[in-house]
Amino acid sequence: MNVYKKTSNAVVSALLIGFLGALLSATMPGLYLEEEWGLPWLFKARGGIASPRDVIIVTLDKSSPEQLHLPENPEKWPRSVYARLIETLNRYDPAVIALNIYFGEDREPSNDTKLAKAIAAGSNVILSNYLKQYTFPSADPAKAFTYEKVIDPIPVLAHAALGAAPFPLPKTVTTVKQFWTFKQSAGGISTFPVVVFECFVLKRAYPEILRLLRQIDPALQATLPPTFDQLAAKASVFGIATQIRQAFAAQSLPQFNDLLARANYPQETLRLLRSWFALAKGADNRYFNHYGKAGTITTLPFHQVLEDKRLNPKLFRHKVILIGYSENLEPEKLQGFYTDFSGDISATLSSTEIVATAAANLIDGSGIRPLPLQTQCALVLFWSFLLFGVCRVCTYRLATVLVILLTAGYAAFAYFRFTADHLWLPLCVPLLLQTPAVAAVMIFSYLQKNKQDQQNLHKTLSYYLPDNVVSAIANQARLEAMPHYGELVHGVCMATDAGRYTTLSETMDPLTLNALLNRYYGAMFPLVKHHHGIISDVIGDAMLALWATPSEESQHKINACHAALEIKTAVDHFNRSQPYQLPTRLGLHFGEMHLGNVGAMEHFEYRAVGDIVNTAVRIEGLNKLLGTQILVSASVIEGLPGFFTREVGAFVLKGKTQPVELFELIAPLDQLDPVWPPLAEAFSDALKLFQSHRWAEALNAFLDIDRQHPGDGPTLFYIQYLRQRPPETGLLDQPARIELGSPINQLHL
């Protein structure tokens, strides 16, 4: 019985310390400890590593202005200098040239033109842009709306380059540790290192990628030209890269590895494709694997490359060339970044070295990989039980030696995994917290062993943990149980989008555009709030609004429909009141979604997630094709009194497999224009003919409607659809539907 109690106490103690370690590992304090103590120790124990072979920096350092007789401030250099540099580099056949320099202002037109021609000549240049945050003011700061917008380089350069991307970094209080791969708060855009990496892979392995796509996405492969140069000339490389990444993400790891094994690609190509697959399946943020102190990555001064002297002809061939400012250019401005290798201010890394590190990590697949949270929790629980097991079975002296050896062995194993395959095992929680706690329990237990009998010893062990620690655990447990991660809700999602916004953004200065958007949303937001909705997301000219609760309520549908109609009226009035037109389209869908925090430890956003949201956005986009303003799904309008609608057909939306029955929301019944009932009745009859596969009769019916009601968008859509691409005659036992993945996408109304 005493043995049973002693074992029970050991198990309870192991559980308590293990649970405390697991809980700490899952919270911000635990992450902070590991980032600020564990990770730096691993970096310093490992030391610097070899410079990446595929990335080279050309730096605008302090000596270049002197050698080239240029102003000290590179921002005042003529852009023809950059054009000469790109032309010089392209003689060495690099894969990608990435300029970590923002060209946001027009300068001397002739020099801008020279730079644009140099950029376009090689079809391999990527430029930098940046994210600017906009906030819609509110009397209550907690209710202010904030969104991020991409600010591109001047058009003549942006159009010449493969594209441009920003490089925002997560906020940090000490050293720079992570970078974003995709910025969800800005619409899920790819960041600068990602586009550099993806363009590099496309340049180096484009034929192999086409062969691989033939297996996993033949439809996408059929749309791509046979060479990368043709791709760069006719399409958006960034857009194609996104499609390829999505095709990769649709594969499981075993499937992908099996495809690569059967493809028999060169090892270098396999390395790049596996890195791209890891990017597609990974999180939106990555930990840097720093190569060492400043200057570790191969770096050449700007003037040396421009003068084209003493350069190895193979130095740049098929590599990524990053061009940017050096930290030593103006050290008094403290513009460098501190890393775990920084000993003092002179050892900080420039922004260009940070970008190069991120790009090289993606290319090599060498980013630091923290253990998944569940694995960390399991590890600290196992460590607690292992130490307690040793203490329970062995004598005091032997247990002390074994605990020391186990601790050293764990540290050595963590160092080995970090060095060999960049896996980051937790150190602070198991070694600095759990091991001392277990050691304290062990010492206390053995000191009491000779003074008390087994019953007192069991009692002492059961009371070892202080009350405040137990209270803290209990409080943390209650906090973990709180539904702060969100909940499943039922309701309506409304997606809106403003037409002509892209054109306006190209022609208007940012301040004027910002003021216009403020007035535009000022007409919409109050209507959502008035009808008891919430704004879930705002990105540029697009908005998501929600009406949802845990239980299904029909009132949400009524409120959302009223809000949609009033938004339509308000936006029409807004467009009549000022010279800039923002015609707005709305899409509504009803169902279940998850509403809560989305993000990671460094950043969360409160938003809805689910197929309902995606479908609402797709429905909104269909307005453009149909020439309508408000489209709602059958799940929104079914059984809903007080509104006049007309059915516009069943559509298989892009990316979907099941058709969605859609209706145009026209007006409340008490505000209906008399022209609508006869038009809707005639359209319904024609649509029934279409759904019955009676194509010729349907076309004649729609043509008759067009003669009586010219300009009706859905009528014109069906006329053009039936004329340009008659539907297939199969599946006659089912109502006809329109698949938006078919060539109907080519229609222009």
Side-chain angles (χ1 to χ4, degrees), residues 68-82:
L68 299 174
H69 307 292
L70 293 170
E72 290 188 3
N73 185 355
E75 294 182 0
K76 297 181 180 180
W77 292 4
R79 288 178 178 165
S80 59
V81 175
Y82 298 106

Side-chain angles (χ1 to χ4, degrees), residues 58 85 88-89 91-92 300-316:
V58 175
L85 177 67
T88 301
L89 288 172
R91 288 200 288 266
Y92 295 94
L300 297 176
F302 190 99
H303 70 86
Q304 182 179 343
V305 178
L306 193 63
E307 293 168 351
D308 203 11
K309 296 179 180 178
R310 302 184 306 278
L311 296 180
N312 183 341
K314 297 181 180 179
L315 182 62
F316 299 122

Side-chain angles (χ1 to χ4, degrees), residues 410-421:
Y410 180 95
F413 180 72
Y415 166 79
F416 170 76
R417 294 301 304 271
F418 187 81
T419 303
D421 53 12

Side-chain angles (χ1 to χ4, degrees), residues 68 251 436 493 653:
L68 299 174
Q251 307 296 307
C493 177
L653 302 174

Side-chain angles (χ1 to χ4, degrees), residues 477-500:
R478 286 196 295 271
L479 287 175
E480 288 293 311
M482 293 177 60
H484 62 283
Y485 291 109
E487 58 185 347
L488 288 176
V489 295
H490 296 264
V492 178
C493 177
M494 173 198 292
T496 75
D497 187 61
R500 306 179 189 172

Side-chain angles (χ1 to χ4, degrees), residues 278-307:
L279 173 68
K281 302 288 277 190
D284 291 338
N285 59 309
R286 297 290 182 91
Y287 279 91
F288 284 101
N289 186 2
H290 295 292
Y291 294 92
K293 295 182 178 181
T296 300
I297 298 177
T298 303
T299 303
L300 297 176
F302 190 99
H303 70 86
Q304 182 179 343
V305 178
L306 193 63
E307 293 168 351

Side-chain angles (χ1 to χ4, degrees), residues 510-678:
L511 291 177
T512 306
L513 182 62
N514 181 56
L516 175 64
L517 283 175
N518 286 346
R519 296 194 302 273
Y520 170 72
Y521 283 122
M524 297 171 60
F525 288 170
L527 298 176
V528 174
K529 182 177 179 181
H530 176 71
H531 289 285
H532 312 292
I534 63 171
I535 308 297
S536 170
D537 204 1
V538 176
I539 300 177
D541 60 326
M543 175 190 76
L544 283 178
L546 303 173
W547 287 260
T549 52
S551 58
E552 186 172 332
E553 297 182 14
S554 61
Q555 187 62 40
H556 293 325
K557 302 178 183 180
I558 298 173
N559 291 340
C561 289
H562 278 301
L565 291 168
E566 292 183 19
I567 287 173
K568 172 186 173 183
T569 302
V571 171
D572 289 343
H573 177 74
F574 169 81
N575 287 331
R576 290 194 298 270
S577 66
Q578 51 88 41
Y580 304 108
Q581 301 298 296
L582 291 172
T584 299
R585 303 179 291 269
L586 300 91
L588 284 73
H589 194 37
F590 175 83
E592 185 181 58
M593 65 196 106
H594 181 270
L595 182 61
N597 287 337
V598 178
M601 285 295 184
E602 295 295 331
H603 181 76
F604 283 101
E605 291 201 8
Y606 189 76
R607 59 177 56 184
V609 174
D611 180 66
I612 301 303
V613 180
N614 297 334
T615 303
V617 174
R618 294 286 190 267
I619 293 172
E620 176 275 315
L622 187 56
N623 281 288
K624 188 174 183 179
L625 200 61
L626 293 179
T628 53
Q629 280 190 266
I630 307 176
L631 288 177
V632 301
S633 64
S635 60
V636 174
I637 208 66
E638 184 177 4
L640 203 63
F643 297 97
F644 188 85
T645 63
R646 65 163 164 172
E647 183 182 358
V648 295
F651 294 82
V652 179
L653 302 174
K654 187 177 180 181
K656 305 289 182 180
T657 58
Q658 297 300 319
V660 179
E661 190 175 355
L662 298 179
F663 294 78
E664 180 183 9
L665 180 61
I666 296 171
L669 287 176
D670 56 357
Q671 301 176 23
L672 185 63
D673 190 316
V675 72
W676 277 107

